[in-house]
Amino acid sequence: MDSEGEPARESPLPVRPVRRRKLLPFLVLGAGALIAGYLSSKSPRDQHLRLVLGERAADVTGLEIQYVAADGEVARDARVTFALGEAPRIVSHEPKLSDGEYRLRIDLDTREGRRSVERRVTLGGGTTQVDVSR
């Protein structure tokens, strides 16, 4: 009772809805999954590239490939040499790169000299095939 003789009233406490409290862990988990998915797509992973030399493989003695990223920086490069007449018709290369668009600079050393080819590819975890036989 207060000084005027009336019973004291309790002030109502703010009550959080139970629904909001139950959804919060799911929202945090969902946000974490989205962030993890985004970061995993940006991290380097094994890519599969097949360079088709075709019938001209017998003339190829060496191959140099550069993966140039969108910003113009060389992300990866590789060089392979073959004895004359022993290059395979399809050369496989599996670099560790992030998914995305790349410009390939491919230099083929042949009996006639060096031949350069550029191709644009989008790497996304599957197998990408590039025909350099022409």
Side-chain angles (χ1 to χ4, degrees):
M1 287 196 151
D2 64 4
S3 61
E4 296 177 6
E6 294 183 22
R9 292 186 186 168
E10 292 183 25
S11 63
L13 295 175
V15 179
R16 280 193 163 168
V18 175
R19 194 181 285 170
R20 185 180 297 172
R21 219 178 302 150
K22 286 185 178 180
L23 288 179
L24 185 63
F26 293 111
L27 291 174
V28 170
L29 189 63
L34 287 174
I35 291 170
Y38 174 77
L39 293 176
S40 70
S41 72
K42 298 297 179 191
S43 65
R45 61 183 181 158
D46 289 335
Q47 305 289 345
H48 307 283
L49 183 74
R50 307 291 181 254
L51 297 172
V52 179
L53 302 177
E55 295 177 9
R56 300 190 127 200
D59 296 336
V60 176
T61 58
L63 180 137
E64 186 172 351
I65 184 168
Q66 292 181 334
Y67 297 83
V68 181
D71 61 3
E73 199 171 309
V74 175
R76 186 85 54 227
D77 64 343
R79 174 138 182 85
V80 181
T81 58
F82 307 102
L84 186 60
E86 294 187 15
R89 293 173 63 94
I90 297 175
V91 177
S92 298
H93 188 239
E94 298 185 358
K96 198 167 195 79
L97 292 167
S98 301
D99 291 348
E101 291 196 22
Y102 293 89
R103 190 175 76 239
L104 300 180
R105 288 187 199 145
I106 305 163
D107 294 323
L108 298 169
D109 293 328
T110 65
R111 290 183 206 190
E112 292 84 32
R114 181 168 269 210
R115 191 180 80 149
S116 296
V117 178
E118 284 198 14
R119 299 283 193 271
R120 290 200 179 278
V121 296
T122 301
L123 301 178
T127 299
T128 303
Q129 185 167 306
V130 178
D131 188 357
V132 293
S133 63
R134 295 180 227 129

